[in-house]
Amino acid sequence: MFKVAVLPGDGIGPEVIAEAIKVLNAAAERFGFTIEYKEALVGGAAIDAVGKALPQETLDVCNEAHAILFGAVGGPKWESLPPEEQPERGALLPLRKEYNLYANLRPAIIFPALLDSSPLKNSVLGGKGFDILVVRELTGGIYFGQPKGIYQEEDGRKGVDTMIYHEWEIARIARKAFEAAMVRNKRLTSIDKANVLNSMVLWREVVSEVAKEFPEVELNHLLVDNAAMQLIRDPLQFDVILAGNMFGDILSDEAAMLTGSIGMLPSASLGDFKGLYEPVHGSAPDIAGEGVANPLATILSAAMMLRYSFRQGDAAKCIEKAVEDILNEGYRTADLYRGEGTKVNTSEMGDLVAERVRG
Ligand code: NAD
């Protein structure tokens, strides 16, 4: 039995989570496993109910679960709260910290049926879609290194951030990236800035050492500035991209933008014992409650949960194939609709995918 903590959150969060659960139930039926869901409050919904974005009762539910399925949090109603009490800072950052979720996996997939959504020319995309997985280190590097701050000096103020990577931090994220490459096309591109940063010289050395444990994976190293260019020049060359916290932050957004549709992008944040799965998009307060949100990012996040937390690769592939088929058949939620095909709402899209998964 797979135990899942379900945290729908705010805005369109509950709407898209409901569709992901429909699809998970269909996969469980077809592939013969059972999932136990426990729902808990998070974000603005939790602030309204109990005064805190991540209440202890929610952590208790997460503690007992193998994986967390997260919708989205935030909205105008809570924007005037002090920053550390706001839904995103008050819920997501503490969850990452609590479960040491150091590996952020963000696939940037452009399905062939959605090539026109990409800002890239068809000639660059070669008439095909692309499928890149960005593996970003999430709990170290320059965002957390000490000293950090703004200090008064005799000649004015000084802003300081410190980029530190320990060997063990690099090795564990590298292993996650190599493991992911092993179940994909066995190609890994490690991003660094080894020409100017000492932490990145070590990054390159340690990644090359870990590579010896994965002789089947072809590894190459790319400087981050070149990587930013190559992503636009020829995204089809990439399979798995491994990067530290800051470079991964920037490159994963660049890769996401190349797909052109925020409602399609899933993500996973993994530690050694637990995984948190969520769509890349936010709570979209502008369309919340209208039943028009695209649930596919959350459905694809649920597929990642089956793959990485529950080792149900076939069920994950089945969900991904169902999504691709539905798009090929011309079904579109409002955000993807360009005047052709069949426009469907959130729940119709969930039904269509669940139906295909059920077989
Ligand atoms: P957003 O991702 O919520 O929305 C950006 C735009 O994309 C909006 O026009 C929205 O309607 C559209 N959109 C997003 N997801 C969609 C979907 N599934 N289907 C169709 N259209 C979709 O980003 P934002 O507007 O910058 O932020 C809104 C709120 O969400 C803020 O409070 C922000 O703090 C929060 N937020 C939360 C998370 C999270 O929970 N992880 C992430 C980003 C933003």
Side-chain angles (χ1 to χ4, degrees), residues 12 72-75 88 92 262-263 278 281-287 293-294 335:
I12 61 169
V73 292
E88 262 188 279
L92 265 175
I262 188 152
E278 57 170 332
H281 62 73
S283 58
D286 51 335
I287 56 166
N294 183 349
D335 55 315

Side-chain angles (χ1 to χ4, degrees), residues 19 41 60 62 76 81 87 96 109 128 139 146 154 156 236 242 249 299 308 323:
E19 303 313 311
L41 290 169
D60 293 343
C62 294
L81 289 173
R96 284 180 189 159
I109 301 173
K128 289 184 276 182
T139 52
Q146 293 293 339
E154 271 174 23
L236 274 69
L242 163 65
D249 188 3
I299 289 172
Y308 294 109
V323 168

